Amino acid sequence: MAIPNIRIPCRQLFIDGEWREPVKKNRLPIINPSTEETIGDIPAATSEDVDIAVRAARNALRRDDWGSTTGAQRAKYLRAIAAKVLEKKPELATLETIDSGKPWFEAAADMDDVVACFEYYADLAEALDSKKKTEVKLHLDAFKTHVYREPLGVVGLITPWNYPLLMSTWKVAPALAAGCAAVLKPSEMASITSLELGEVCREVGLPPGALNILTGLGHEAGSPLVSHPDVDKISFTGSGLTGVKIMTAAAQLVKPVTLELGGKSPIVVFDDIHDLDIAVEWTLFGCFWTNGQICSATSRLILQETIASKFLDRLLEWTKNIKISDPLEEDCKLGPVISRGQYEKIMKFISTAKNEGATILYGGERPPHLKKGYYIQPTIITDVDTSMEIWKEEVFGPVLCLKTFKTEEEAIELANDTRYGLASAILSKDLDRCERFAKASQSGCVWINCSQPCFWQPPWGGKKRSGFGRELGEWGLENYLNIKQVTQYASPNEPWGFYKSPSNLLNC
């Protein structure tokens, strides 16, 4: 597919089905991470805009064109959004690449996933009609009970910058399928395609207020959204520090939250792997895909010592072959990280690892052929101790650290030696061992003989400090549903008989 040359759209906030200038008229620069140039700007919402957007969402729930729709009616909108995204795929993928720095072919694949995710939740929206009222069997014949599945209400959706439109879709699609009205606050670091989702919704005629999109800084737009009394739930994907702040603020109103907060995931490689090169490629893909900026990155390589030497030799050969370039170039496999701040943070992690006694086996520097942009060579760090920062902390960049093991028990202990628990991977042809590892892994996702496959049908989420709650699949839809019990006394002409009737006492 040809990569189009396009102009950066100049958008306002998307509120109540219209483009609206922020109340304070503020805007933020868009910086292309591959050139470090300012290429446009986005609107910067504040608490005043949050109030307007939440009010629009609340009003949408009261109107017949959204609040009273069936799942089948909502499914038509979701499918129309999917079709429009597919139509605009080359343009959206290019905007995503320019904004976030991810290789164009990855951004194009993300657009395919966006389309599939909206279509998937359209199917679940239709299926929801038959489950809206479900009978519950009781042990007493005198009562009848049923359960309603209802939209939770107005939901606040806060998304990160590594998969800008796809992460927004993971939340928007199920929220709309459930019949909620949503206020989306994407990361200010990469907001272009999330704003373009507003244009898509406008073009397909999504009822006003069903989806509102506010770009801006976290403390100016995200915080007021979290603490707003008319927002019924917050779903957040991002850093642990911000997640703690969101959970704290939401707790003041006893507001439910779903949190996906990143990780420090292991990939365990045993000496009975099927093929050395296959294992090496999965190891690289698990850490360096999306420029290493993946919450589930299997960035801790735990390698059986009997194959460590030959595995590392092959790992280096493959790593040196990775094409690092402008992400719009054909066959680019590693682009820049998102910002100067992120670049400096990653370089500090690498420097600290070296100062603590680790060895920078490869990389750790700017690629010599790229003088501008936030580029970092794919980096492999060895001689790592479990007390080191590089072993414990999420880097969120193309940095892989390595530790060896002797026994299966030691491997499992090392894999679980983290405060995070989003994902883990194991490479071994012994499927019984793989099953033991899957059961022992303290994570929300386990990958066997692969790393980083992600689909919209299974649940996604973590445990420990990687957060709680599940997105995607049917579990993602349940995030946005309220379960209401309705119980009826089935014998209204017969007394309950718990108290003595006053009339019976008088007759005595």
Side-chain angles (χ1 to χ4, degrees):
M1 183 179 291
I3 301 175
N5 291 318
I6 59 173
R7 179 181 58 85
I8 305 299
C10 183
R11 299 293 186 196
Q12 301 292 353
L13 303 174
F14 187 70
I15 300 176
D16 209 18
E18 299 176 350
W19 296 109
R20 298 192 178 202
E21 187 176 36
V23 170
K24 293 186 176 179
K25 303 183 181 351
N26 295 337
R27 298 188 72 84
L28 300 170
I30 301 170
I31 298 174
N32 183 337
S34 65
T35 65
E36 304 182 42
E37 295 175 351
T38 299
I39 56 174
D41 52 39
I42 56 171
T46 56
S47 60
E48 294 85 351
D49 303 299
V50 172
D51 286 338
I52 296 169
V54 171
R55 186 161 58 248
R58 186 63 62 188
N59 288 338
L61 294 175
R62 297 189 183 106
R63 294 196 318 269
D64 289 343
D65 65 351
W66 187 251
S68 300
T69 53
T70 64
Q73 290 171 319
R74 296 192 294 275
K76 292 180 180 178
Y77 290 116
L78 295 177
R79 291 197 177 98
I81 292 170
K84 185 62 70 172
V85 170
L86 183 60
E87 176 187 319
K88 296 186 174 189
K89 173 183 169 179
E91 172 189 344
L92 291 171
T94 303
L95 289 172
E96 195 90 300
T97 295
I98 293 170
D99 200 17
S100 71
K102 67 167 53 189
W104 189 88
F105 85 96
E106 291 187 30
D110 287 353
M111 297 308 123
D112 290 334
D113 284 350
V114 167
V115 171
C117 197
F118 272 109
E119 290 177 341
Y120 175 79
Y121 280 105
D123 292 341
L124 290 192
E126 287 180 331
L128 190 60
D129 285 339
S130 64
K131 302 174 183 176
K132 186 174 182 179
K133 180 179 178 180
T134 306
E135 183 182 357
V136 177
K137 295 293 184 182
L138 302 175
H139 67 289
L140 293 177
D141 294 336
F143 295 90
K144 293 181 180 179
T145 293
H146 60 268
V147 166
Y148 282 126
R149 288 176 171 83
E150 301 175 329
L152 198 55
V154 175
V155 293
L157 313 175
I158 304 177
T159 55
W161 42 259
N162 55 338
Y163 290 84
L165 186 55
L166 184 56
M167 292 293 99
S168 293
T169 298
W170 279 21
K171 299 180 189 299
V172 169
L176 296 183
C180 293
V183 180
L184 170 65
K185 196 281 176 190
S187 169
E188 67 274 14
M189 308 276 272
S191 298
I192 296 177
T193 53
S194 292
L195 282 172
E196 290 310 290
L197 179 60
E199 180 62 13
V200 167
C201 291
R202 191 189 66 79
E203 290 178 7
V204 304
L206 185 72
L211 176 62
N212 307 273
I213 304 171
L214 305 179
T215 53
L217 299 173
H219 67 279
E220 292 183 348
S223 294
L225 181 62
V226 171
S227 59
H228 201 288
D230 286 333
V231 173
D232 299 299
K233 174 175 179 155
I234 295 293
S235 179
F236 170 75
T237 299
S239 73
L241 181 61
T242 303
V244 169
K245 293 178 180 178
I246 287 174
M247 192 172 176
T248 302
Q252 309 312 305
L253 296 172
V254 198
K255 184 180 300 186
V257 295
T258 297
L259 301 176
E260 200 262 83
L261 306 177
K264 189 72 177 177
S265 302
I267 181 167
V268 179
V269 182
F270 283 88
D271 60 9
D272 66 342
I273 49 178
H274 293 271
D275 181 280
L276 187 67
D277 279 348
I278 291 174
V280 165
E281 184 177 13
W282 279 120
T283 300
L284 295 179
F285 183 80
C287 188
F288 298 153
W289 170 257
T290 310
N291 305 337
Q293 299 169 131
I294 324 171
C295 52
S296 56
T298 42
S299 58
R300 290 185 300 132
L301 170 58
I302 301 170
L303 182 62
Q304 195 153 27
E305 63 179 27
T306 47
I307 59 167
S309 178
K310 62 179 181 180
F311 190 95
L312 272 177
D313 288 343
R314 200 69 181 133
L315 187 70
L316 282 172
E317 291 176 14
W318 276 74
T319 303
K320 292 173 183 177
N321 197 44
I322 295 173
K323 180 178 179 179
I324 313 170
S325 69
D326 184 317
L328 289 173
E329 282 189 20
E330 185 177 358
D331 205 34
C332 171
K333 291 298 189 294
L334 192 71
V337 297
I338 189 68
S339 67
R340 178 173 298 280
Q342 188 66 14
Y343 173 89
E344 291 173 352
K345 177 183 174 183
I346 295 166
M347 295 303 288
K348 185 176 180 181
F349 269 114
I350 296 169
S351 173
T352 299
K354 187 175 180 179
N355 291 338
E356 289 182 339
T359 299
I360 312 303
L361 186 66
Y362 183 82
E365 299 177 348
R366 168 185 288 278
H369 66 289
L370 294 166
K371 306 303 181 184
K372 287 187 177 181
Y374 309 123
Y375 293 93
I376 299 174
Q377 292 175 322
T379 302
I380 300 171
I381 301 178
T382 59
D383 299 318
V384 172
D385 185 85
T386 57
S387 65
M388 292 180 181
E389 179 187 62
I390 198 67
W391 176 265
K392 296 188 292 184
E393 300 297 332
E394 183 178 37
V395 175
F396 222 68
V399 179
L400 178 71
C401 68
L402 178 148
K403 189 163 179 56
T404 60
F405 71 92
K406 293 181 180 179
T407 67
E408 179 180 323
E409 293 73 21
E410 184 185 1
I412 291 172
E413 183 178 351
L414 286 170
N416 289 331
D417 181 31
T418 172
R419 61 183 179 176
Y420 296 103
L422 183 54
S424 60
I426 177 173
L427 306 183
S428 171
K429 69 180 180 182
D430 185 340
L431 295 183
D432 289 334
R433 169 187 282 155
C434 292
E435 185 65 19
R436 289 192 299 271
F437 177 84
K439 290 179 178 178
S441 177
Q442 297 169 3
S443 63
C445 309
V446 178
W447 297 308
I448 295 175
N449 289 321
C450 57
S451 181
Q452 301 307 322
C454 190
F455 308 96
W456 49 91
Q457 300 95 336
W460 177 267
K463 59 188 298 186
K464 298 196 283 188
R465 293 199 187 181
S466 287
F468 52 84
R470 293 295 180 266
E471 294 190 296
L472 300 181
E474 295 182 6
W475 300 266
L477 185 65
E478 290 171 2
N479 274 334
Y480 303 101
L481 293 173
N482 178 56
I483 307 301
K484 180 189 289 181
Q485 176 213 131
V486 179
T487 298
Q488 171 188 347
Y489 185 41
S491 306
N493 296 324
E494 297 180 13
W496 180 230
F498 184 78
Y499 299 103
K500 291 183 179 180
S501 170
S503 58
N504 289 340
L505 290 174
L506 289 174
N507 292 335
C508 292

